[in-house]
Amino acid sequence: MEERPFSDISYAQFLNEEKLMGSRCKKCGALFLPPRSICTKCYGADMEWVEMKGKGKLVAFTCISVGPPFMIREGYDRAHPYCSGVAELEEGIKIVARIEGVDTTKPETIKIGTPLAVRYLHRGEADNMKTYLAFSA
Amino acid sequence: MQRKRKLGRGVAVVGAGMSKFGMYKDKDSKDLFVEAFSEMLSSVDKGADPNDIDALYLGNFTNDFWVHSAHWGPVISDLVGLIPKPATRTEGACAASALAFREGVFAIASGFYDVVLVSGVEEMSKRPTEEVAEGLAMATSSYEAEVGFTFPGVFGAVATAYFEKYGATREHLMNVTIKSHNNARLNPKAQFNLSIRDTMNSKIARAEKKGEPVPTWRDEKEFLRDPKANPVVAWPMHLYDCCPISDGAACMLLVAEEIAKNFTDNPLYVVGIGQGSGRALHAADDNTYFEATRYAAKEAYEMSGLKPEDIQFAEVHDCFSIAEIIHLEDLGFFKPGEGYKAVEEGLTRLDGPKPINTSGGLKCKGHPVGATGVSQLFEVWKQLRGEAGERQVPIKNLRIGAAHNLGGTGGTCSLTILERR
Ligand SMILES: [Zn+2]
């Protein structure tokens, strides 16, 4: 039994461990990703952890040429855009993520509906490690 | 059960002012606020005594981050001589001053105050572009910002979802841009008061003067398709799909309806106000509309007893070209999936049946985020009083106009309907 609290902090810890974890309401079955500690459908407070299979499809995306400072530091710029998007998982729930394995210099070739599989991008080390959710086409 | 909203007593607008929007090296937000305030005072037909102002509501997104100075309610209050009257700052990202307007309305409607100054101010241009973008990204959800979404990026993603669902393309977005520029050309307060055609001509003239290869765009769309002239920012959002970085201020004087005629024979009445909240991208059931706008619109229409077709013209929050198209649908002006066709058919042009963003919109008038909401209502004020000059809506008996303001990536949306009686 997974005992961690249903929080953004736990969610981030799981990403570090390469697990995509949501919460499910034991009363009405509603699924939340990132996890919620109370059910906003029925207001039940009895939740359980659910691991996502990590498979889905692309439902919206953008290829960003002018990124925030932390993406510029990763080497992205006008000549090297990166893709961020919305993935709809097989579990029927959506999540925002970095999208890899697409040609960001030819965004017109990227198709909505493209099958995706989860990836974990680790940045930094040890206690400072931070993991960004990604999906690969 | 949610009952129909109503005000405890009527509220009227009796004065309005705004600074010219732009990127200023030689002026800061205090200078711009004084400009707006002075114009507001002189716009009150029978005059207003600032000593009669009971309270100030100030919309401001993030002076904290961009100016490294917070707590601007009393700063602005002092600036225009309102100390020790109470000042309250409202924050709703790009909808900050629509919230200030709304709080001012409530304060009067409750009977607590009779005369209230509602306003907004923002100063953005003195920061490097990356810092402006970083500040704006603070108003996306943290989940979005973390995976690299910028403001244009969120709207870019919304555009790809909309394109997929309804078959629209980049070409349709260009119609919005061209129309906005045509309107802004007639607005002396706009940051870019020139048409796309004007822009093309000036670029051609510059190339000729410098002896550089002269561009050969045949029309506006060819210019907008040219990646040199119109580079991608966050696909499919290009430079000309995005509002600029701006500084500016706007304010309005609100009074209780029963004393409105002491200030002017032509007040405008607040007949509908609605506000809604929205979810992050991943949590919305569909990324082709904004839940918060639909809720705000429903509230405002129910309160006013008006229907979308009764709104004769509107300012809508076109932070990005795709946003304008979606708002046209969410506000009920056109059916879902029909907004882009309406723009293509010219229905939203200044001389069309439903003029939209006669000011030039955020795209061309500028978007100093905290000032935008009240500046949109300033345009409604000008139009309804027949003072919009060359860009006056040519509809006879113009009585009802609206302003739609959106904060963040749809987290906060409002619709305000004003009426001339
Ligand atoms: Zn539940």
Side-chain angles (χ1 to χ4, degrees):
Chain A
M1 268 294 277
E2 184 49 66
E3 296 293 336
R4 285 181 236 195
F6 300 97
S7 66
D8 280 357
I9 293 170
S10 303
Y11 176 70
Q13 286 170 353
F14 277 125
L15 290 181
N16 282 344
E17 297 160 25
E18 305 212 338
K19 285 182 179 165
L20 181 54
M21 300 292 281
S23 66
R24 181 162 54 209
C25 171
K26 285 189 184 171
K27 194 167 152 202
C28 78
L31 187 60
F32 300 99
L33 182 73
R36 290 181 189 259
S37 57
I38 59 163
C39 175
T40 48
K41 296 247 162 64
C42 76
Y43 291 97
D46 196 8
M47 310 294 279
E48 61 185 351
W49 283 105
V50 184
E51 183 171 357
M52 304 292 133
K53 283 181 284 182
K55 295 256 188 297
K57 62 177 183 178
L58 187 63
V59 294
F61 71 95
T62 178
C63 292
I64 299 180
S65 301
V66 186
F70 74 95
M71 293 302 288
I72 295 170
R73 283 195 292 275
E74 282 197 27
Y76 294 103
D77 57 24
R78 283 192 183 278
H80 308 90
Y82 62 92
C83 185
S84 299
V86 184
E88 185 175 321
L89 305 184
E90 281 181 2
E91 289 83 356
I93 198 163
K94 293 187 290 187
I95 191 73
V96 286
R98 298 262 295 270
I99 307 295
E100 309 227 298
V102 293
D103 187 352
T104 55
T105 62
K106 294 193 182 68
E108 61 281 2
T109 63
I110 303 173
K111 296 275 179 279
I112 301 279
T114 299
L116 299 172
V118 71
R119 293 282 181 277
Y120 301 91
L121 306 177
H122 303 293
R123 298 287 180 264
E125 312 237 322
D127 286 353
N128 292 322
M129 185 168 83
K130 169 131 182 95
T131 305
Y132 298 96
L133 181 65
F135 281 84
S136 185
Chain B
M1 256 290 279
Q2 179 189 314
R3 66 167 175 78
K4 183 179 154 183
R5 312 295 188 202
K6 65 175 196 287
L7 298 179
R9 63 171 173 166
V11 178
V13 184
V14 296
M18 72 175 268
S19 73
K20 180 172 159 54
F21 285 0
M23 296 175 79
Y24 293 98
K25 283 199 176 63
D26 54 343
K27 285 183 188 177
D28 65 16
S29 45
K30 289 186 190 172
D31 302 322
L32 296 171
F33 195 92
V34 168
E35 215 174 294
F37 181 78
S38 304
E39 184 185 5
M40 180 283 293
L41 274 187
S42 62
S43 76
V44 181
D45 296 328
K46 299 180 186 175
D49 181 350
N51 291 311
D52 291 336
I53 296 173
D54 295 316
L56 164 73
Y57 291 84
L58 175 73
N60 173 254
F61 169 43
T62 183
N63 257 29
D64 328 38
F65 186 78
W66 287 326
V67 185
H68 298 288
S69 168
H71 194 202
W72 266 47
V75 172
I76 293 296
S77 187
D78 182 35
L79 182 73
V80 294
L82 301 183
I83 301 287
K85 304 290 177 56
T88 304
R89 170 179 160 185
T90 58
E91 196 282 292
C94 320
S97 62
L99 272 50
F101 183 92
R102 180 179 160 94
E103 292 306 315
V105 169
F106 290 160
I108 292 172
S110 72
F112 202 82
Y113 295 133
D114 290 326
V115 182
V116 164
L117 181 66
V118 295
S119 61
V121 71
E122 204 79 54
E123 180 179 312
M124 305 166 74
S125 76
K126 292 178 187 67
R127 314 307 306 176
T129 305
E130 312 81 72
E131 270 186 50
V132 175
E134 198 179 7
L136 287 170
M138 298 195 310
T140 64
S141 94
S142 56
Y143 304 120
E144 288 152 13
E146 187 164 291
V147 296
F149 273 106
T150 55
F151 248 53
V154 169
F155 285 87
V158 164
T160 60
Y162 185 93
F163 289 178
E164 178 73 13
K165 185 166 180 181
Y166 297 119
T169 66
R170 254 196 87 198
E171 300 282 312
H172 295 105
L173 303 184
M174 294 175 187
N175 296 325
V176 176
T177 299
I178 294 166
K179 182 223 34 141
S180 298
H181 274 271
N182 286 340
N183 290 349
R185 185 169 185 266
L186 308 175
N187 183 359
K189 291 200 191 253
Q191 186 164 347
F192 300 125
N193 61 336
L194 72 186
S195 67
I196 294 291
R197 179 66 70 179
D198 295 336
T199 306
M200 291 158 64
N201 290 342
S202 78
K203 283 181 191 279
I204 289 168
R206 201 180 316 150
E208 280 169 347
K209 201 172 155 198
K210 287 188 177 170
E212 287 167 358
V214 178
T216 55
W217 309 297
R218 270 179 320 216
D219 56 21
E220 288 110 316
K221 285 201 176 173
E222 203 170 300
F223 169 81
L224 292 171
R225 277 183 220 115
D226 179 348
K228 281 213 181 72
N230 188 17
V232 62
V233 175
W235 175 271
M237 294 297 103
H238 291 63
L239 183 62
Y240 281 84
D241 293 300
C242 308
C243 62
I245 291 167
S246 317
D247 310 321
C251 60
M252 284 184 135
L253 195 63
L254 303 183
V255 304
E257 188 174 316
E258 64 254 32
I259 60 169
K261 291 286 168 78
N262 299 343
F263 295 85
T264 173
D265 291 332
N266 298 299
L268 302 182
Y269 297 92
V270 180
V271 293
I273 45 171
Q275 184 183 323
S277 303
R279 296 165 219 268
L281 267 185
H282 72 274
D285 64 342
D286 183 320
N287 294 129
T288 64
Y289 72 93
F290 295 103
E291 184 179 10
T293 297
R294 290 188 179 180
Y295 185 85
K298 184 171 181 289
E299 263 199 357
Y301 290 140
E302 280 179 5
M303 174 181 160
S304 63
L306 297 168
K307 296 191 180 66
E309 52 269 34
D310 297 322
I311 308 299
Q312 293 170 296
F313 67 98
E315 291 285 297
V316 307
H317 196 93
D318 61 320
C319 44
F320 299 93
S321 54
I322 182 66
E324 176 162 327
I325 288 171
I326 289 176
H327 305 330
L328 295 178
E329 301 173 5
D330 285 340
L331 295 172
F333 298 158
F334 304 99
K335 292 195 185 78
E338 303 278 317
Y340 75 94
K341 296 174 192 163
V343 177
E344 186 172 38
E345 289 163 21
L347 305 183
T348 61
R349 288 192 336 204
L350 184 56
D351 58 357
K354 184 77 88 184
I356 298 295
N357 286 335
T358 55
S359 68
L362 281 57
K363 166 68 189 80
C364 305
K365 186 185 72 181
H367 181 31
V369 296
T372 288
V374 170
S375 80
Q376 293 176 311
L377 289 159
F378 172 86
E379 179 69 9
V380 176
W381 158 270
K382 287 302 231 189
Q383 291 286 357
L384 286 179
R385 286 169 48 103
E387 297 169 354
E390 281 190 279
R391 67 181 191 288
Q392 182 66 47
V393 168
I395 294 172
K396 280 205 185 72
N397 192 23
L398 206 57
R399 283 182 46 243
I400 295 166
H404 161 265
N405 198 192
L406 173 147
T409 51
T412 301
C413 295
S414 76
L415 181 66
T416 308
I417 307 172
L418 300 182
E419 181 182 22
R420 178 177 63 82
R421 287 176 190 155

